[in-house]
Amino acid sequence: MTKRSATVRHSSTDFYNNSVKEITRQYLSLSFEDVHSHWTHHLQSALKKQNVAILDVGAGAGRDVSYIAKLAAQYSSDTSSQNIYAVEPAIEMMKVGQATTQNQNVHWLQDALPSLDKTTKLEISFDLILLSAVWMHIAPSNRARSMRKLANLLKPGGKIVISLKFGMTKEEQQERSMYDVSVEEIERLAQNLGLIAQLESSTSIDKLNRAGIYWQTVVLRMPDDGTGAFPFIRHVAINDGKSATHKLALLRVLLRIADGHPGAVLRREHFSGGDRVILPLGLVSLYWIHQYKDLIDHHGLFQTPNKSAKMGFMKKGGWCELGERTSSDFRVGNLFMGEEAVALCKTLSTCAQNIRDMPSRYITLPYSDARVFEVASKRVKPVRRLFLDLDTLTQWGEFSLPESTWLALSRYACWIEPVIVSEWVRTMATYSGNRQYAAFDKRAYLNQALNWLEPIRTTTEVRNRFDALKSKQAMQCVWSAKALKHKYDIDHSMPFSRWPNNDLWNLVPSDQKVNNEKRDRLPTERKLIEAKERMLDWWKMAWLDDVSIKDNVALKQRFFAEANIALPGLPRHNLSVDDLFEALLLQRGRLREMQQLREW
């Protein structure tokens, strides 16, 4: 019956590592149905959903997650529509679990509550999370944080199933690092997070027939995002006081980073008020420039009630020296040289200061002076060569926001952005400098000006590279392995129309007929895996291995800089194409879940 601790407590983890044979024998002597029959209807309802995601925290020897994977296969033979993850902190137990679930659709992570760092970096939300015989291992001081973390990982309508162990002796608690538990505590923690608690079993006897031991199961349900983050974002966008468009600009910048750059998270930190996500301040500043550049310089739209269209971050020697640049130039992977590099350095610094002193200072929790966003800025000496990657953008300092806000921005971007844009249009229309657009029939121009300018959907650079390679060797379609001679397309592996990304890693050669069949659909996981070797070969020959290419080092640097920030779970210094491909599979799953894209 007993499963592994999901907390980072060495005595508990060591106990299970050292007792792996005995614990495994006990654990596998019972079936899933023996232990969990009273709540399996929740599992079955979850498995009926499209793109289901299930997480077993403290999965031990893999009995439960193996059953879940087998049951999932009965509901759908398409495993690419099922994300089943198992978390286990004790490495020896995890090895047993991996053997138990060999050849099944189960992904294992060595991870632990209360932080669940590796799981959180997946940027996946779950329909059902199971904690069987885990909660008693979590120290009472870590339980509020653990519950917040689990709630943050739930989809709207998702459920957490927690089995509670009672009747432990003091000796067992000491030996296995266990603590007393109660249904009342679970209900209180759940209520604080907006979760609905339901007791699924009053008491059940221990299936291993241990004297004095009995169990209860509690199911927690998420009615919405459950963190208060979504209504808070909406409050700032619509109801919060605005003397300028700064607050809206900051929300939109963060939304764009959360939606398009899951790899931008430097780390997550625990604070008494909840976990926080740390981003490079330079990236926030870069996107600040991106959204204001054309809005002010090209469209001439006022962003404050003042008599000048200029704002505090538009300084001589900085912003004013970048007049030839457009919004889409300010993106990760681009290189600035000479006086432009110096000017951009100065502009990033003034924008960082503006973000720190204006919107971050004045966006507070409702009915409180507590700031939601924190900025720790650093002085940066201007340089004459500025390559925009995570390392560079971290030099300006760090930007911190609540993890619940980050997740809401990531999950609900397609709903939140129209609210922000609509309020931004309404706000600009009230400024005297924009009076010609005040009438409702004139506001279409304001909406158009707020279009987020992506890099031009061009494949010219990649097509030129393909043609150069084709003149020297045989080339093939990444998707079908067909030989490519005269007619071919350069395809966005993740559809540009639904996730605008023109990075080198996302552009692959394709047979025209195959590309027309794919169109704007998302490749299935199976198709991606089948194409893996051809995709990796293309990346290597086109961008990474050919020393004859001029500026090969800079091109390789750009390739990984773009990938490491756009894809989830990659370290910022990653240089592995295999790890990049695994992150691509994760991003495919995120897009499928969040945007419900049609699959190819």
Side-chain angles (χ1 to χ4, degrees):
M1 182 79 178
T2 307
K3 291 180 70 175
R4 259 45 38 246
S5 160
T7 61
V8 183
R9 291 178 62 80
H10 295 297
S11 58
S12 177
T13 302
D14 289 346
F15 171 83
Y16 288 107
N17 277 328
N18 295 333
S19 309
V20 64
K21 290 185 178 180
E22 177 188 352
I23 297 299
T24 298
R25 179 184 57 78
Q26 286 185 343
Y27 182 66
L28 297 181
S29 69
L30 300 172
S31 69
F32 180 95
E33 295 95 328
D34 289 335
V35 179
H36 300 299
S37 60
H38 49 280
W39 66 266
T40 51
H41 56 288
H42 293 296
L43 175 60
Q44 291 164 352
S45 63
L47 290 173
K48 292 177 182 178
K49 298 179 180 179
Q50 289 187 338
N51 306 322
V52 64
I54 294 178
L55 175 67
D56 186 356
V57 179
R63 177 199 65 205
D64 294 347
V65 76
S66 176
Y67 175 88
I68 291 169
K70 289 176 183 175
L71 188 61
Q74 295 176 20
Y75 279 88
S76 173
S77 59
D78 180 13
T79 58
S80 67
S81 67
Q82 302 167 344
N83 282 313
I84 301 174
Y85 281 83
V87 163
E88 174 55 48
I91 185 62
E92 297 303 322
M93 290 301 302
M94 189 173 80
K95 290 176 182 177
V96 174
Q98 288 172 319
T100 301
T101 59
Q102 190 175 10
N103 300 322
Q104 290 185 280
N105 179 33
V106 178
H107 309 278
W108 283 84
L109 295 172
Q110 188 183 11
D111 204 0
L113 282 167
S115 61
L116 284 180
D117 288 331
K118 293 179 182 177
T119 309
T120 303
K121 286 179 181 177
L122 298 174
E123 301 284 349
I124 292 176
S125 49
F126 296 90
D127 296 281
L128 188 141
I129 301 174
L130 172 62
L131 284 81
S132 177
V134 166
W135 194 254
M136 70 278 193
H137 288 293
I138 302 175
S141 59
N142 284 330
R143 287 177 178 171
R145 183 189 177 196
S146 295
M147 192 65 80
R148 279 198 304 269
K149 179 64 67 172
L150 294 167
N152 284 343
L153 289 169
L154 271 187
K155 291 180 184 179
K159 296 173 183 176
I160 305 171
V161 179
I162 304 177
S163 67
L164 301 175
K165 183 179 182 181
F166 298 90
M168 298 167 284
T169 66
K170 294 298 182 184
E171 291 75 18
E172 183 184 16
Q173 288 183 323
Q174 182 67 30
E175 182 183 32
R176 301 193 181 193
S177 189
M178 294 178 177
Y179 304 89
D180 290 334
V181 298
S182 72
V183 172
E184 291 73 20
E185 178 197 42
I186 295 286
E187 290 176 338
R188 175 178 54 80
L189 293 173
Q191 185 178 31
N192 290 341
L193 294 167
L195 297 170
I196 299 170
Q198 178 181 348
L199 185 64
E200 282 297 313
S201 65
S202 53
T203 60
S204 59
I205 62 171
D206 183 62
K207 299 300 182 179
L208 292 172
N209 297 317
R210 290 169 293 188
I213 300 294
Y214 66 97
W215 299 81
Q216 287 184 303
T217 300
V218 179
V219 175
L220 311 177
R221 180 171 61 85
M222 175 74 73
D224 55 8
D225 78 315
T227 62
F230 188 89
F232 161 72
I233 293 167
R234 190 176 184 279
H235 167 77
V236 173
I238 295 179
N239 301 321
D240 217 2
K242 304 173 192 70
S243 59
T245 60
H246 290 116
K247 291 181 180 179
L248 294 166
L250 182 57
L251 285 182
R252 196 181 190 197
V253 162
L254 295 174
L255 180 143
R256 281 285 169 165
I257 295 173
D259 185 43
H261 295 315
V265 177
L266 298 177
R267 65 185 183 280
R268 286 169 164 85
E269 292 186 352
H270 174 59
F271 292 88
S272 57
D275 290 1
R276 297 182 71 84
V277 167
I278 313 300
L279 302 173
L281 179 56
L283 179 61
V284 181
S285 298
L286 183 69
Y287 270 22
W288 186 268
I289 299 170
H290 179 114
Q291 69 175 352
Y292 273 127
K293 188 70 172 65
D294 289 359
L295 197 60
I296 297 174
D297 285 3
H298 176 66
H299 295 284
L301 292 171
F302 284 61
Q303 301 303 306
T304 70
N306 299 334
K307 295 181 179 181
S308 171
K310 288 192 173 182
M311 300 182 78
F313 50 84
M314 301 170 66
K315 305 289 186 182
K316 289 182 179 180
W319 181 283
C320 299
E321 309 308 315
L322 297 168
E324 299 300 315
R325 293 286 187 167
T326 63
S327 287
S328 58
D329 291 323
F330 300 98
R331 62 184 299 268
V332 171
N334 275 6
L335 174 66
F336 286 72
M337 298 290 290
E339 292 302 319
E340 279 196 327
V342 172
L344 181 53
C345 282
K346 292 179 179 179
T347 305
L348 288 168
S349 294
T350 55
C351 288
Q353 293 166 14
N354 190 266
I355 291 166
R356 179 195 65 198
D357 296 339
M358 296 299 292
S360 295
R361 181 179 178 184
Y362 294 108
I363 296 178
T364 59
L365 292 173
Y367 315 110
S368 169
D369 293 329
R371 296 183 187 180
V372 177
F373 307 118
E374 295 291 342
V375 176
S377 58
K378 296 179 181 178
R379 288 183 176 273
V380 177
K381 183 179 179 180
V383 295
R384 297 183 66 82
R385 184 185 188 280
L386 189 65
F387 178 69
L388 298 174
D389 64 358
L390 272 178
D391 265 352
T392 299
L393 296 171
T394 304
Q395 295 176 30
W396 275 268
E398 296 180 346
F399 184 97
S400 166
L401 71 158
E403 184 182 57
S404 57
T405 303
W406 169 260
L407 292 172
L409 290 169
S410 176
R411 293 171 184 171
Y412 307 114
C414 59
W415 289 285
I416 295 172
E417 187 160 29
V419 174
I420 294 174
V421 170
S422 175
E423 182 63 15
W424 201 327
V425 167
R426 191 199 66 78
T427 301
M428 285 194 295
T430 66
Y431 297 153
S432 59
N434 302 323
R435 64 173 64 89
Q436 66 269 42
Y437 306 112
F440 281 101
D441 60 343
K442 302 290 186 181
R443 293 187 184 183
Y445 180 79
L446 300 181
N447 269 296
Q448 182 183 1
L450 279 168
N451 285 341
W452 187 273
L453 295 180
E454 301 291 350
I456 299 172
R457 184 175 179 169
T458 177
T459 59
T460 302
E461 178 183 17
V462 182
R463 184 171 289 273
N464 289 341
R465 181 65 187 135
F466 179 90
D467 288 342
L469 289 167
K470 183 165 65 73
S471 66
K472 296 183 285 188
Q473 58 190 293
M475 304 294 287
Q476 61 180 183
C477 170
V478 160
W479 301 117
S480 67
K482 291 182 180 180
L484 298 179
K485 296 180 180 179
H486 303 295
K487 293 184 178 180
Y488 68 90
D489 284 337
I490 299 298
D491 176 44
H492 293 78
S493 61
M494 300 294 103
F496 188 93
S497 61
R498 303 304 297 269
W499 191 59
N501 181 292
N502 224 41
D503 293 347
L504 296 179
W505 61 268
N506 196 35
L507 294 163
V508 297
S510 172
D511 175 80
Q512 280 190 345
K513 185 177 179 180
V514 172
N515 191 36
N516 287 335
E517 178 189 325
K518 176 177 178 282
R519 298 180 68 82
D520 61 353
R521 289 186 292 171
L522 189 69
T524 64
E525 182 176 293
R526 182 178 300 172
K527 273 196 171 67
L528 262 184
I529 292 173
E530 289 173 352
K532 177 180 178 180
E533 293 307 316
R534 294 187 293 275
M535 189 172 287
L536 266 59
D537 287 345
W538 162 249
W539 289 342
K540 291 174 183 177
M541 79 169 88
W543 315 117
L544 305 178
D545 290 349
D546 192 347
V547 294
S548 67
I549 306 176
K550 185 180 179 181
D551 297 327
N552 172 262
V553 173
L555 197 58
K556 182 176 181 179
Q557 187 182 22
R558 173 188 161 191
F559 177 88
F560 281 111
E562 291 176 344
N564 292 347
I565 196 172
L567 298 173
L570 290 172
R572 56 180 168 170
H573 298 121
N574 170 63
L575 295 175
S576 165
V577 290
D578 287 297
D579 290 348
L580 194 162
F581 186 83
E582 291 301 313
L584 175 57
L585 288 174
L586 279 176
Q587 180 63 7
R588 193 211 75 86
R590 292 180 72 244
L591 290 174
R592 183 200 61 207
E593 174 196 324
M594 292 187 294
Q595 298 198 27
Q596 301 295 305
L597 300 186
R598 292 183 306 140
E599 291 189 295
W600 172 63

